[in-house]
Structures are given as structure tokens and as C-alpha cells.
Amino acid sequence: PNAIEVREAVKRYGNFTALKTISLSIKDNEFFTLLGPSGCGKTTLLRMIAGFEDVSEGAIFLYGEEIEGLPPHKRPVNTVFQNYALFPHKTVLDNVAFGLQMRGNSKADSRKKAGEMLELVQLSQFANRKPSQLSGGQQQRVALARALAPQPKVLLLDEPLSALDLKLRKAMQLELKHLQRETGITFIFVTHDQEEALTMSDRIAVMSSGELQQLGDAREIYESP
Ligand code: ADP
Ligand code: ADP
């Protein structure tokens, strides 16, 4: 089955309709981007895919299973946010290890796996530092390592690069793309930045005012008016 199947999903907050009947499929191993201006409903859709919010109508399926019926620990989905939300008092290594321990891995196994993840994002030499001793880009890579460590099938990324300066953002775009290819994890990436979307994505869903405007591969989106 597809990684994600959004079937005629509607989201209302009171009498305000944030999403108007969205249908789309996201393939396994795909780098998929939700692109559109602030307020168009990207985060709302991402939060519904994560199971943080219920749909008002319709349904969302994760590898063929309806998300609302899955208990949280059975959703192989992890999320990376714009503000990295690292634990300030834990070391970089323990930030990454913590989630693994919470999932029932032993402390030793968790730290070993965390070390491997830090290698993947090239932060091994910072393992024993506190997050505040790292740059913004490095902190975001710690957040990525933490999100990837439990090997989710789907990673949701909500404007993860928007707090970074332009140079770092460009470097991280390439790194994210590389990580997606290397891990084979389905990435669902949210951005309002068209160039960023075109650089990174296999396919792009363009949203506007709670509606899906366009869906295609990066080249098709780029060439359309
Ligand atoms: P985006 O991520 O594209 O910036 P959002 O999904 O955050 O857009 O928001 C889409 C619309 O839904 C906005 O108009 C926002 O104000 C509204 N919205 C989002 N969450 C809520 C909420 N919990 N209650 C009421 N309105 C909300
Ligand atoms: P984004 O980064 O996509 O612009 P926001 O900062 O708008 O996200 O929203 C952050 C959080 O606030 C989300 O959980 C969203 O659901 C909630 N939110 C957004 N708009 C509203 C609103 N009008 N009323 C209540 N909650 C909202």
C-alpha cells in the first residue's frame, strides 16, 4: 500500500474550514512536499497525518491502516519541528538515546544506536556537549538524528530549516535529501519556500486556502504557470 492515503479529508475548527476535502497519496520511500503560503493548511494536514488531530470528515491511512484506529505507539511516524525542542540539560548523545529508551530499549543499546545516528548526521565529535553549545544547524541535525533513530517508516518535517540562515539552509537541504535516500524513510516535508521544495522533492502538493491546487513532480510544478 501507499505510505499515506488521504481520502477526502476535511478539517474544521468550529465553523472555520481549514482543509476542504483533500485527497492525495504519498508513496513509500518518497520525498513528498506540502508547499504553500502561511495559513493554507500545511501544518493542519501534517498534524492529522501524525494522528495529533482527528479529521472532521474522510480518513487518512498509514500503510493501509486508518490512523485514528491505531494506538499512538503503533504509528511508525516521527516528527521534526522548526524549533528543535531538544532537552537542554541532556547531552547530544542522550537527546538521541532518550527516545529509544522510552521505546523500551536498554540504556546501552540506546546509546550505541544514538552514536550511530550521530555518525550519520556527522556530529560524533559533539556527542558529549549540551545543545546550547551547538550552532542552530547542528541542533537541527541532532533533532533529525533523534527523529530517525527509532527508524520510523514516515518522517514528518514541519519547516525544519526555516530558523536557519541561508547558507546553512542550503547545506541542510542537500543533507536532508541525502538522508532520505540513505534511510529509505518516507519524508513529508512542509515549506512555504518554492525553491526549497523544487530542490528537494520527488513530488510536490501545492496548497492554497485549504485546498490542493496542484500535485506533480518537481519539474511539472516548476514548468506550470
Ligand atoms: P500553515 O501550516 O499552512 O501555515 P495551518 O495549518 O497552521 O497553516 O493553519 C491553517 C488555518 O487553520 C489557519 O487559518 C489557522 O489559523 C487555522 N488553524 C490552525 N489550527 C487551528 C486551531 N487549532 N484552531 C483554529 N484554527 C486553526
Ligand atoms: P505554522 O508554523 O504552520 O504557521 P502556526 O505557528 O500557525 O504554525 O501554528 C502553531 C500551532 O498553533 C499549531 O498547533 C496550530 O494548530 C495552532 N494554531 C494555529 N492557528 C490557530 C488558531 N487560529 N487558533 C488556535 N490554534 C491555532
Side-chain angles (χ1 to χ4, degrees):
N2 284 314
I4 302 290
E5 186 84 41
V6 178
R7 202 174 293 166
E8 302 191 346
V10 175
K11 182 64 182 179
R12 282 186 287 268
Y13 293 109
N15 49 23
F16 171 71
T17 304
L19 290 176
K20 304 166 191 164
T21 322
I22 301 271
S23 295
L24 58 85
S25 308
I26 300 173
K27 295 173 203 149
D28 194 33
N29 289 359
E30 189 165 39
F31 196 124
F32 190 91
T33 295
L34 300 171
L35 170 69
S38 181
C40 73
K42 306 182 295 296
T43 297
T44 299
L45 182 54
L46 206 68
R47 289 174 58 81
M48 294 195 311
I49 292 171
F52 297 154
E53 304 237 17
D54 289 347
V55 293
S56 304
E57 285 175 33
I60 301 180
F61 298 85
L62 185 66
Y63 292 94
E65 295 198 78
E66 192 168 354
I67 287 174
E68 282 184 28
L70 285 175
H73 67 277
K74 290 219 170 141
R75 297 174 192 150
V77 177
N78 237 338
T79 310
V80 178
F81 301 100
Q82 174 178 334
N83 53 348
Y84 331 116
L86 300 174
F87 299 111
H89 303 297
K90 289 189 194 293
T91 64
V92 163
L93 185 78
D94 284 335
N95 261 280
V96 178
F98 182 71
L100 294 166
Q101 258 182 281
M102 292 308 288
R103 286 170 168 82
N105 297 287
S106 73
K107 186 158 188 178
D109 285 351
S110 300
R111 298 188 111 220
K112 180 163 177 288
K113 178 74 184 170
E116 292 166 13
M117 295 313 300
L118 289 179
E119 245 169 70
L120 186 65
V121 298
Q122 296 169 18
L123 286 177
S124 298
Q125 71 270 41
F126 300 113
N128 295 316
R129 293 211 196 168
K130 297 286 166 61
S132 62
Q133 296 171 299
L134 303 186
S135 72
Q138 289 166 339
Q139 290 183 44
Q140 189 53 288
R141 273 149 62 202
V142 177
L144 267 171
R146 183 179 59 180
L148 291 168
Q151 295 175 287
K153 285 185 162 174
V154 178
L155 188 66
L156 307 177
L157 305 108
D158 194 353
E159 309 235 11
L161 308 183
S162 61
L164 306 179
D165 67 45
L166 184 63
K167 190 159 163 256
L168 254 180
R169 201 155 78 225
K170 294 278 175 203
M172 285 291 297
Q173 286 173 5
L174 297 178
E175 188 164 338
L176 273 180
K177 183 85 192 164
H178 177 73
L179 273 175
Q180 194 273 329
R181 288 289 182 258
E182 193 159 334
T183 60
I185 293 172
T186 304
F187 275 31
I188 308 178
F189 185 85
V190 161
T191 183
H192 59 266
D193 182 335
Q194 180 173 358
E195 196 198 335
E196 185 162 281
L198 293 171
T199 304
M200 302 177 72
S201 316
D202 295 320
R203 287 192 308 146
I204 300 173
V206 184
M207 294 175 63
S208 168
S209 306
E211 291 183 283
L212 191 60
Q213 291 254 301
Q214 231 186 327
L215 179 65
D217 68 31
R219 190 177 42 81
E220 286 164 353
I221 300 289
Y222 183 72
E223 286 170 357
S224 69

